[in-house]
Amino acid sequence: MPHILIFLALFMPWSASAYPEFIGYKYASCLTCHFNGHGNGPLNDYGRALWAAEIGGRAFAFGRTDEELGQASGFLGSVQFPFWIRPGLKGRQLVMKPNPPSSGAYTRNITMQADANLAIFFDRNQKYGFIGSIGYVPEPQRYANIQGGKKIEEMISREHYVRVLYGENLWLYAGMLDKVYGIRHVNHTAFNRAKLGFGQNDQAHSFIAHYIQPKYEFTVDLFMGNLFQDAKLRQKGVSTLYEYEPAEAWRIGGSALYSFNDYIKNGRVGVFNRYGFGDGSALLGELGLIHDDPKVGDAKLGYYFYGQAIQKLYRGYHVFVVGQLYKDDMKAGRPDLLRTGAGLLIFPASRFEWRVELENGRQFTDSAEVQRESWIILTQLHVSL
């Protein structure tokens, strides 16, 4: 298998989201598969090869070997691109139905992602390169219905950065990227992403230094906020991440962040665990504190938790359960939010992902009043070229 992956890695570009669950396949470092050493964005050549030869299912194999599937799964099929260019396309569509099976529930169909990305390299070893991604973001209906409202920009840069390998172990990034913090996974609405300021479109212009050793990784991220945003709103600051590998397929670590703009100061600190077992199964967990100090009003100290267990059934097919907790302020009377969910994560072939999840949400307070729970079913289809 390793010689097949190395052979395929010579010519296979692709793009994908971050899947920290893949530590279950014994791939602990995101740099193994991504141009961005903290995951997300386009896959590198080895990651593309790995996906076709090991992780993706064989629903459309039609008798072909893994090697043959890999050779035909480039951006233009079997066409090989020069070493200096790697293009990609990505689409992700979400169908969301609250309170199923209620016939009166409003079903929403949302374009979550429609991106074109491009990686350009200045040497064959890809030590020096530029990676960029442009995305289409449809104007939300609530804005479209406002007469005379300001037009929302629908084409955005999701990321654009230069990366350089300095020496043998230090990767340097400069440009617009996701902030470095905690477990980066595909669910951008999860409490440990959306509630902390790490949502789908929360990138910042940054300078990142990422030092990698076989047993540990350490990162410092100095960010200036999104320079396309109003200057008063830009969150400027610093974050750090440290991750250590006490055993194969097991990573423990911690993160910290401090940022500020003209209206608020934010602090986050957390610890996390990624543990792989079997052949493709994993446990993820992250726990942390949130401190928000606005210039007007009282400071808040809250907490968050994210946990996930994923079990591989057979190649390309997984079941998972998720549990989340969040509280914005640990003062009496503030609600605790709980989300639980279960679903399927399926990669029927190397270009496709299908995810379906049934999610339950509840709110608890100090009072004896029983809060109504909510249910929602989510279905995603993700296609990459």
Side-chain angles (χ1 to χ4, degrees), residues 133-156:
S133 178
I134 297 176
Y136 167 69
V137 181
E139 183 179 51
Q141 189 63 43
R142 63 182 181 275
Y143 291 114
N145 292 334
I146 299 176
Q147 297 297 322
K150 182 179 178 180
K151 178 68 175 177
I152 303 298
E153 182 62 50
E154 293 185 330
M155 296 299 298
I156 65 170

Side-chain angles (χ1 to χ4, degrees), residues 180-182 221 223 238-242 254-258 267-270:
V180 174
Y181 185 92
D221 180 1
F223 52 90
V238 60
S239 67
T240 63
L241 185 148
Y242 177 78
S255 295
L257 176 144
Y258 172 77
R268 284 91 174 89
V269 61

